[in-house]
Amino acid sequence: MKKSSLPVGVKTLLKYYKSGSLELQTPVQRATEQWNLLQQSLLIHSMLSDYIIPNLYFGKEQKNGESILFVLDGLQRISTVFRFCHDEFYLHSKTPDVVIDDVKYSIALKKFSELEEEVKATILGYRFTSYQLEDCTPEEIEETFTRLNSGTPLSKVQLARPKLGVFLAAFFQSLVSHDFFQKSLNLMLSQVRKEDDFLILLTAVMLLEDRYYHNFKIKTSVSAAECVRFAEEIRKKYSDEKRKTLELLVSYLDKAFGLEEYKFLRKNNAPIVIYVGFEAVQKGIPVEFYRSCVIDFFQRDCTKAYQEASGSGNVKLGNVDTRLRELSGYLFSKFSESSKEQETSQEDVEKRIEDSSEEESDILS
């Protein structure tokens, strides 16, 4: 096995890929698009801010008299850059600003085509450090890949993804890409890095299966470990109807909160808000009314019971039940009051119309 080191630029990689002399997928590699939006965005930020990025590793072989490179390590990095340059995703809302030649640029929530020319040029001009391995046996390729990918253990959320299965994991990830999760949740960068947004959705879905559909029994808490057990349980069992219902719920949440971040939409509150949002949809509560009530509850009328159940041990079932009951009760109480007021108002209108008709009749007679 021969090894050589050389820098390789983004433009060159794009040219190699377009010409067919760069193969991204090899049998030992994972599929592309394994990273979440934040991971992809931070790679682009690292390229622009001169953070250290791991090396790329390629195997080199001859095919039909031409040199072909195939990726041994760095597939997620390369595919992420390619997808971003092709405008296939926008950068995460938590992506920090960058400074290029003493000029600050905001890059969050932008696609490649929406960036300033100086920022685009810096991305296209970026050069990775790469290693090329030649004359490798299949055994050497497999061993090289294994040694390069002997990383840290997976988190609970990362363990849950394969438990869901490819199809359902991709479906849930598509929901997490919505504005409610990307713009409205009040998560620190470290929490997004740990994929707490995905965990929040999974927790809310688990609550729905336990409390509404009664198809899953939560043992003692809505912990991340319980979410892993839940993910394995619903693999290949989550119906088309439930997926459509969940899509409607996330769209409802987008309309309610999707334009800005809310302080109360922290990790412990968000699953509760999502579950009560589901109840609101089932009851036909208008999205603006739901939004207004939730904001009023957390900013002004939050009950003592909810506050006490939000402290230490907030994932325990008893505390979760209390918080669901308090927020749900507040929403439906306000909606009931509003409905009665509207009925009274309608009765007044009808009475005035009736009185006017009687007066007109008296005049005519």
Side-chain angles (χ1 to χ4, degrees):
M1 180 172 64
K2 298 178 183 178
K3 182 178 71 173
S4 59
S5 173
L6 74 160
V8 57
V10 171
K11 282 185 178 179
T12 300
L13 289 172
L14 286 166
K15 183 178 71 174
Y16 285 170
Y17 183 64
K18 187 175 181 180
S19 68
S21 56
L22 172 62
E23 295 182 356
L24 297 185
Q25 203 65 57
T26 57
V28 295
Q29 276 282 14
R30 294 177 297 169
T32 59
E33 300 183 39
Q34 296 289 313
W35 286 1
N36 61 36
L37 182 59
L38 180 64
Q39 289 173 304
Q40 297 176 74
S41 301
L42 290 181
L43 171 65
I44 303 301
H45 180 268
S46 294
M47 294 167 63
L48 292 167
S49 300
D50 229 11
Y51 279 93
I52 294 174
I53 296 175
N55 302 328
L56 304 179
Y57 291 83
F58 301 100
K60 187 176 182 179
E61 61 182 18
Q62 296 293 318
K63 281 188 178 180
N64 301 320
E66 295 184 1
S67 294
I68 300 294
L69 294 179
F70 57 91
V71 181
L72 285 174
D73 189 67
L75 175 61
Q76 305 307 319
R77 276 159 269 154
I78 296 172
S79 61
T80 294
V81 173
F82 283 7
R83 291 181 59 245
F84 185 65
C85 289
H86 291 146
D87 258 7
E88 293 183 25
F89 68 92
Y90 59 85
L91 297 176
H92 195 281
S93 60
K94 299 290 185 182
T95 309
D97 295 342
V98 297
V99 177
I100 301 173
D101 294 334
D102 297 325
V103 178
K104 181 185 284 189
Y105 297 95
S106 175
I107 62 174
L109 297 174
K110 291 183 178 180
K111 292 186 175 182
F112 180 80
S113 62
E114 297 169 337
L115 298 172
E116 286 80 358
E117 293 303 318
E118 292 80 359
V119 182
K120 292 181 189 175
T122 302
I123 293 173
L124 293 174
Y126 185 84
R127 303 177 83 188
F128 292 95
T129 298
S130 73
Y131 286 89
Q132 293 185 10
L133 309 180
E134 299 181 59
D135 301 329
C136 301
T137 65
E139 292 76 19
E140 287 174 327
I141 290 174
E142 292 175 10
E143 183 62 21
T144 298
F145 180 79
T146 300
R147 295 190 185 194
L148 288 171
N149 288 275
S150 55
T152 56
L154 297 176
S155 68
K156 294 295 184 184
V157 181
Q158 291 168 330
L159 285 171
R161 286 179 181 275
K163 297 288 186 182
L164 287 167
V166 174
F167 178 78
L168 199 53
F171 171 70
F172 279 8
Q173 187 59 50
S174 71
L175 296 180
V176 171
S177 68
H178 279 243
D179 286 345
F180 174 77
F181 292 94
Q182 298 301 320
K183 297 179 182 179
S184 304
L185 296 185
N186 179 20
L187 299 178
M188 296 183 292
L189 186 60
S190 59
Q191 291 178 306
V192 181
R193 195 190 299 272
K194 291 189 300 182
E195 302 186 64
D196 279 352
D197 48 1
F198 193 93
L199 180 61
I200 285 169
L201 174 63
L202 194 57
T203 301
V205 175
M206 181 171 68
L207 284 170
L208 288 172
E209 287 296 309
D210 178 87
R211 297 293 189 271
Y212 185 82
Y213 293 111
H214 306 294
N215 289 330
F216 178 81
K217 184 65 177 176
I218 299 174
K219 291 182 177 179
T220 59
S221 70
V222 293
S223 64
E226 188 71 345
C227 285
V228 175
R229 186 175 75 87
F230 169 67
E232 188 169 23
E233 179 67 23
I234 64 169
R235 181 188 179 100
K236 297 182 180 180
K237 295 180 182 178
Y238 208 71
S239 67
D240 290 344
E241 183 180 351
K242 287 182 181 178
R243 287 198 297 273
K244 290 177 182 177
T245 300
L246 203 53
E247 287 176 333
L248 288 174
L249 171 59
V250 173
S251 295
Y252 185 85
L253 295 168
D254 280 348
K255 292 175 184 176
F257 305 108
L259 298 179
E260 59 182 292
E261 182 178 288
Y262 292 83
K263 289 184 178 180
F264 62 82
L265 284 176
R266 300 187 297 273
K267 181 180 177 181
N268 64 327
N269 289 331
I272 307 299
V273 172
I274 294 172
Y275 184 96
V276 174
F278 174 85
E279 292 184 319
V281 172
Q282 300 303 305
K283 297 290 185 180
I285 295 178
V287 66
E288 285 300 325
F289 189 91
Y290 162 75
R291 174 183 177 274
S292 177
C293 282
V294 171
I295 291 174
D296 286 347
F297 179 82
F298 285 105
Q299 294 185 351
R300 188 186 66 199
D301 300 329
C302 190
T303 63
K304 183 178 179 181
Y306 189 98
Q307 292 173 354
E308 290 177 348
S310 299
S312 178
N314 63 76
V315 297
K316 293 181 179 178
L317 277 185
N319 289 329
V320 171
D321 284 336
T322 296
R323 291 186 291 144
L324 286 172
R325 183 176 62 251
E326 292 298 307
L327 180 57
S328 180
Y330 180 85
L331 172 65
F332 292 129
S333 174
K334 292 293 184 183
F335 186 64
S336 178
E337 291 174 9
S338 175
S339 298
K340 288 179 181 178
E341 289 175 0
Q342 289 178 4
E343 288 176 4
T344 301
S345 176
Q346 181 64 28
E347 288 175 358
D348 289 342
V349 170
E350 291 174 354
K351 190 174 187 307
R352 285 197 296 271
I353 293 173
E354 183 179 338
D355 291 343
S356 298
S357 298
E358 289 177 356
E359 291 177 4
E360 183 178 352
S361 178
D362 291 340
I363 293 172
L364 291 174
S365 62

